[in-house]
Amino acid sequence: MQRNFRMTVGYDGTRYSGWEHKAGRDTIQGKLAQVLERMTGQTVHIIGAGRTDAGVHARGMVANVLLDTEMGDTDIINYVNQYLPEDIVVYEMTEVPERFHARYNATGKTYQYRIYDGRQKPVFDRKYVWKVDGRADILRMKAGADYLQGTHDFAAFCKNPQKKKSTVRTVDRIEISRDGDYVTLTFHGNGFLYHMVRIMTGTLVEIGLGRMEPEQIADALATGDRTLAGVTAPAQGLTLLGIDYPAR
């Protein structure tokens, strides 16, 4: 009898071609499926709460999978973590009702992006930050973030938006803080478009460096013109922190 399991996954995305399975490429979904198929002897289909790009990291990706097994939660998680590579971990594995769907039931997501604007090379953090040239003014960045918060059409902050799908999203929180040479941006919303967080980050960084003005974000939102927004920030500075679900 198949049982539905919810799992919370963390990973260093540096050497992977993103979350989603791709033939002939190393992906997070693919690695998880390999281990679970080895455990059950069956083909499995893992449903993720979303997709992360190549090089993007996660501390709280959520997925669900139907497994035909009599093993308990603890035995499954011990088996999976034993055979997963060292840069992927399953933090939780819990049996949930059959109707639970990691993607359709999600109500919000939190992403974090880290920037380094110091003079020295961030040798030990280079895989997890974006090194920018120049000192970012976080007060200017916060002024820009005020324009992004709320419910908007984010077509200008998406790579290759699909005409048949809505590009309206709600971003209800953007926090920006500095700790020495590191600037951290935290985004929370009901969902994010392809490259949306990275483009918002790139735009805010350009504002912080004086290359754009905060008011230009209003023009980008109003027109949907991608060329009016900033650059797409590199993947390695981005981490998916967690997924929101209704209270059980």
Side-chain angles (χ1 to χ4, degrees), residues 43-223:
T43 300
V44 302
H45 176 57
I46 299 171
I47 300 169
R51 303 171 184 174
T52 51
D53 300 332
V56 173
H57 318 291
R59 292 182 179 273
M61 172 63 86
V62 176
N64 72 287
V65 60
L66 294 174
L67 299 175
D68 187 356
T69 180
E70 295 181 359
M71 294 173 65
D73 300 351
T74 301
D75 290 336
I76 294 175
I77 198 170
N78 288 341
Y79 182 98
V80 169
N81 282 328
Q82 179 181 356
Y83 291 105
L84 280 172
E86 61 184 3
D87 47 9
I88 305 175
V89 62
V90 176
Y91 295 116
E92 298 178 353
M93 176 76 78
T94 308
E95 186 172 359
V96 291
E98 185 178 354
R99 64 181 180 276
F100 175 80
H101 192 286
R103 184 168 72 254
Y104 295 152
N105 292 155
T107 59
K109 297 178 181 179
T110 304
Y111 282 92
Q112 189 172 88
Y113 198 101
R114 296 186 72 218
I115 296 159
Y116 175 84
D117 60 3
R119 294 184 177 182
Q120 299 297 326
K121 294 180 180 179
V123 174
F124 300 105
D125 290 332
R126 69 190 186 281
K127 297 179 182 178
Y128 312 104
V129 299
W130 174 21
K131 184 183 183 308
V132 300
D133 295 325
R135 196 70 166 176
D137 183 335
I138 69 168
L139 291 181
R140 285 176 55 86
M141 294 172 71
K142 288 180 178 180
D146 287 341
Y147 287 94
L148 291 169
Q149 292 182 97
T151 301
H152 305 288
D153 186 336
F154 284 95
F157 295 84
C158 173
K159 179 180 179 181
N160 301 326
Q162 298 181 23
K163 294 183 179 179
K164 294 183 179 180
K165 294 187 177 181
S166 173
T167 48
V168 174
R169 296 291 188 274
T170 298
V171 178
D172 54 30
R173 178 168 56 90
I174 302 176
E175 297 176 353
I176 304 174
S177 62
R178 175 180 287 282
D179 182 5
D181 293 331
Y182 294 86
V183 176
T184 301
L185 297 88
T186 304
F187 301 85
H188 181 272
N190 65 353
F192 296 91
L193 302 165
Y194 185 38
H195 284 186
M196 179 174 160
V197 176
R198 292 168 59 187
I199 296 171
M200 289 194 295
T201 298
T203 302
L204 294 175
V205 167
E206 291 204 46
I207 290 171
L209 295 176
R211 299 170 185 167
M212 290 180 63
E213 294 301 319
E215 297 78 12
Q216 290 179 250
I217 288 179
D219 293 334
L221 290 170
T223 62

